[in-house]
Amino acid sequence: MNMAEGGGKLYRKIVQAILADIADGTFPVGSRLPAERDLTDRFQVSRPTIREAMIALEMKGLVEARKGSGVFVLAASTIDEDKELDIGAFEITEARRLLEGEVAAVAATEINEAQLAELRTLLAQMAQDDNTAAEAADRRFHIAIAEATGNAVIISAVTDFWDMRFRSPLAREVLVKAGSLGTESRMAEHGRILAALEARSPVDARTAMRDHLARLIDHLLDVTETEAVERARAETNQRRRALARRSV
């Protein structure tokens, strides 16, 4: 099945297809879903899209990722029970990578010294331990680059893409689990973007922005992969503690 063409959200189409497979008994309760690589081949989509679909199914309580074993069906469902989970974090970040790469390239030719000074201040603010404040500086950094283009539509689009991450239940689920890239990575990656803008280099600015957001996608993939492992470990430890209490 090739899902590369047609409208709609790709991850949601995969969720619907898996729900249909569960409903018709192809994947009965207790069975293991095909490996991620097999699903990417079947649906002809990327790993992030498959990962997003699996997280959506986990949020519905229909599947569970088990350490070293794969993803297992916990409950049966029907397509009619499918609820729209909205746009996912991978989808938003990929859209940001495409848009903000070009925005940075335009900004490199238009940005003035006052705007560069603001970006330097914001970069310094990203280094603080208060993650909420650092995140706010990060958001402002990206919007300030958009403002350097002087295009109100671009400014609105970049702002909306950023804030969309927390209006979407699916995106919020992934991003809360992921946390931030970490102060060191955040500083280094945004520092490269700033250096390219200071050099007035559209090519370097585009590359630095795209690399930063591609790194974020990789980070989300790593985190969603390890989240199931951490949950399994915590549940195992809880069961062991319960067993120990009963054995006393």
Side-chain angles (χ1 to χ4, degrees), residues 238-248:
Q238 185 176 15
R239 284 194 295 270
R240 286 174 177 169
R241 285 194 295 269
L243 180 61
R245 287 195 298 271
R246 288 195 297 269
S247 300
V248 174

Side-chain angles (χ1 to χ4, degrees), residues 34-93:
E36 187 175 273
R37 181 176 297 178
D38 294 331
L39 291 174
T40 60
D41 290 342
R42 172 186 171 184
F43 294 111
Q44 294 295 292
V45 297
S46 65
R47 285 177 61 223
T49 301
I50 294 296
R51 194 67 57 79
E52 209 143 57
M54 293 302 104
I55 293 169
L57 287 167
E58 279 194 281
M59 289 174 68
K60 294 171 182 290
L62 299 177
V63 304
E64 177 185 46
R66 297 177 185 168
K67 180 182 178 182
S69 300
V71 178
F72 287 79
V73 179
L74 293 182
S77 181
T78 66
I79 294 177
D80 290 339
E81 293 171 347
D82 183 30
K83 296 292 192 297
E84 174 63 85
L85 288 169
D86 216 330
I87 300 168
F90 295 105
E91 193 174 7
I92 294 170
T93 308

